[in-house]
Amino acid sequence: MEREPLDIIWRKERRWVASVLLAHMPPGADLEDLLQEVALALVRHTDEVRSRDNFRPWLRTVTLNIARGAHRQEQSSLRRKERSLDPEAREVADQRPLREQEAKKARQATANTLKKIEELPPKHREILLLRCVNGLSQKRIAKILGLPETTVESRLARARRKLRATLSTVQAVPVHDEGQPHDQ
Amino acid sequence: MTSSNNNYTPPSEEILIHRVIEGDSSREDWLALEQLADGDRCVWERLARTLQVEAELRRDGKHAVSLADHIELTSEISAPRNFLPRWAGWAAAVVLAAAWVVGSFSSDSGDPRNEGSLPASETQTADSAYMQYIQKGISEGRILEELPRVVMETRPAAKGDGVEVLYVRRLLERTVVDQFFQAGSDDQGKLTPKPVPMTRFVDYGSF
């Protein structure tokens, strides 16, 4: 593996990790808490990564598991306020103090983003956020998701159409479900 | 994703619009889109609308994921792992321990280079000076403890013998202040320190 300090790697990857969380986390979950859990998992389990090439898919799997865990917690009717983050996570993942104004803005933006994509299936949300918000190339997305580039293209095209259809109040464009020849 | 051959099969409208947004349309794609638009003028409207909703998503989404910028790994735990082989941490610890022992005793233990006319402060090693600083700091109540050193990187030594270790030494220090200042500017734009109300820091257990 490349000898790059883990915190440097985290800084490079954390924004798309946030996008994956946004795409898969339950509506009531706290993005910051989940990011801290991913950071903790990264520190604890990095040794499991065998090569640099596998790192991003591995980090995505870890992120997905944490988002799914949040779903499970919600399903087991644990109230979010009662859910306390693993104390060790507090030690590992420092949260730089956010200025109140800044935090409010970011949380509002999170709510707006979730509102915009809530009607989309998670796989479409994820691909759309990775491309549009994080600016990752289709090639890089294909590597992270472990999909052929053609599938990434068709899924992204479909996600765009669904987003437009969902947010459009004037336009009435029929939204077909899965099964188009491009999606694999 | 584009194609320029005689076997071109026009893809669906969603793929064509997607390629336009990606800046990835071939000449054939554009022709296919124009043909679609000849029969349904709303195609252009849908393209515009797709661009608009995506721009809105991008704006909010970028703000949302910026929350991640505030989540840091603590260097103490993250740095020593560094994707190094498992044994590397141990090796680094041994190297540091050796350096510590050698550093602690070498300067004052009869090294002839330390004997001579120069004052001690000029002849002592960095390690012994550092130790003196810690001891003095502890006795004055300024230094609370030395935190574990953080290995930032290990790499083969330039001369090919041994391993070069880059690490950070950290001291937890304490001081009492009666005023905080932040950088500000006066009427002429000159940089001046501006007092910050002490009450602002009352709620912070730590930074």
Side-chain angles (χ1 to χ4, degrees):
Chain A
M1 294 287 286
E2 193 178 317
R3 293 176 177 187
E4 194 170 21
L6 200 52
D7 49 349
I8 304 289
I9 293 172
W10 169 245
R11 280 178 205 148
K12 285 182 190 167
E13 313 292 344
R14 61 190 173 189
R15 280 194 172 214
W16 72 256
V17 167
S19 284
V20 174
L21 284 172
L22 275 174
H24 294 277
M25 71 187 200
D30 187 312
L31 179 60
E32 291 162 81
D33 278 359
L34 296 183
L35 276 164
Q36 286 183 346
E37 288 185 34
V38 176
L40 171 66
L42 176 62
V43 168
R44 276 182 177 166
H45 302 295
T46 304
D47 291 347
E48 294 168 10
V49 190
R50 296 289 169 217
S51 74
R52 184 72 179 158
D53 284 346
N54 293 339
F55 177 70
R56 288 193 180 110
W58 173 85
L59 185 57
R60 176 178 175 264
T61 303
V62 166
T63 306
L64 281 182
N65 288 340
I66 284 167
R68 285 175 189 144
H71 274 286
R72 279 196 294 276
Q73 282 186 338
E74 203 162 72
Q75 280 162 6
S76 63
S77 52
L78 281 174
R79 288 171 54 205
R80 196 176 66 78
K81 282 182 182 172
E82 289 170 355
R83 185 163 62 86
S84 61
L85 189 64
D86 181 346
E88 200 181 333
R90 293 284 180 205
E91 288 172 24
V92 175
D94 278 346
Q95 192 179 333
R96 282 201 340 246
L98 277 169
R99 280 181 300 169
E100 197 45 47
Q101 191 75 358
E102 199 182 349
K104 206 175 160 186
K105 231 173 160 179
R107 286 185 189 116
Q108 186 56 52
T110 303
N112 289 346
T113 307
L114 289 173
K115 184 82 187 149
K116 284 187 171 75
I117 59 175
E118 67 183 348
E119 299 293 323
L120 274 57
K123 65 178 183 180
H124 286 162
R125 292 181 206 159
E126 181 177 14
I127 215 159
L128 201 56
L129 292 175
L130 291 176
R131 180 72 191 109
C132 304
V133 174
N134 299 101
L136 302 189
S137 67
Q138 292 185 48
K139 192 176 178 180
R140 196 166 156 198
I141 293 172
K143 275 193 174 174
I144 291 173
L145 302 186
L147 293 171
E149 275 187 71
T150 49
T151 304
V152 170
E153 183 190 36
S154 60
R155 202 173 274 187
L156 192 50
R158 186 155 308 146
R160 282 181 160 133
R161 175 170 54 78
K162 284 187 175 176
L163 182 74
R164 181 188 71 224
T166 305
L167 299 183
S168 194
T169 50
V170 183
Q171 191 78 15
V173 181
V175 177
H176 306 292
D177 279 323
E178 301 305 305
Q180 296 231 351
H182 258 85
D183 206 352
Q184 294 175 21
Chain B
M1 301 294 170
T2 57
S3 60
S4 310
N5 58 51
N6 296 331
N7 300 323
Y8 179 78
T9 309
S12 62
E13 179 188 313
E14 70 179 21
I15 291 283
L16 289 170
I17 287 179
H18 161 80
R19 288 184 185 166
V20 169
I21 293 172
E22 290 289 324
D24 203 16
S25 299
S26 66
R27 193 165 167 271
E28 288 89 347
D29 288 338
W30 276 109
L31 287 172
L33 196 62
E34 280 166 9
Q35 274 177 3
L36 275 178
D38 284 345
D40 176 8
R41 304 301 298 173
C42 289
V43 167
W44 300 124
E45 200 179 323
R46 287 196 285 273
L47 171 59
R49 181 72 181 139
T50 310
L51 282 165
Q52 184 191 348
V53 295
E54 189 170 317
E56 287 168 10
L57 177 68
R58 185 179 298 120
R59 186 196 59 215
D60 282 332
K62 280 193 171 171
H63 250 114
V65 300
S66 71
L67 273 174
D69 296 348
H70 302 277
I71 309 295
E72 297 283 359
L73 304 185
T74 54
S75 54
E76 182 177 353
I77 296 171
S78 64
R81 295 203 175 193
N82 280 353
F83 292 129
L84 295 173
R86 283 168 195 266
W87 54 265
W90 291 103
V94 171
V95 172
L96 284 181
W100 181 256
V101 172
V102 172
S104 301
F105 295 105
S106 64
S107 61
D108 300 319
S109 56
D111 185 337
R113 287 171 297 179
N114 287 349
E115 294 169 3
S117 55
L118 287 173
S121 62
E122 290 179 34
T123 57
Q124 65 187 180
T125 64
D127 273 322
S128 63
Y130 182 70
M131 279 301 288
Q132 274 185 7
Y133 176 76
I134 292 174
Q135 282 160 5
K136 184 88 173 148
I138 289 172
S139 69
E140 289 174 357
R142 173 175 174 153
I143 293 174
L144 302 180
E145 64 176 313
E146 184 183 20
L147 302 172
R149 282 173 244 190
V150 177
V151 177
M152 301 303 291
E153 193 176 345
T154 59
R155 57 191 178 207
K159 289 178 183 170
D161 192 20
V163 177
E164 185 180 351
V165 183
L166 303 184
Y167 62 97
V168 177
R169 285 174 150 167
R170 301 176 304 162
L171 294 176
L172 181 61
E173 300 196 17
R174 168 177 59 196
T175 188
V176 176
V177 298
D178 52 14
Q179 184 60 64
F180 282 103
F181 292 90
Q182 64 183 12
S185 52
D186 62 15
D187 294 342
Q188 280 109 38
K190 217 168 113 185
L191 194 67
T192 47
K194 295 218 161 160
V196 179
M198 296 293 278
T199 50
R200 188 184 292 187
F201 299 95
V202 169
D203 290 338
Y204 284 98
S206 60
F207 290 91

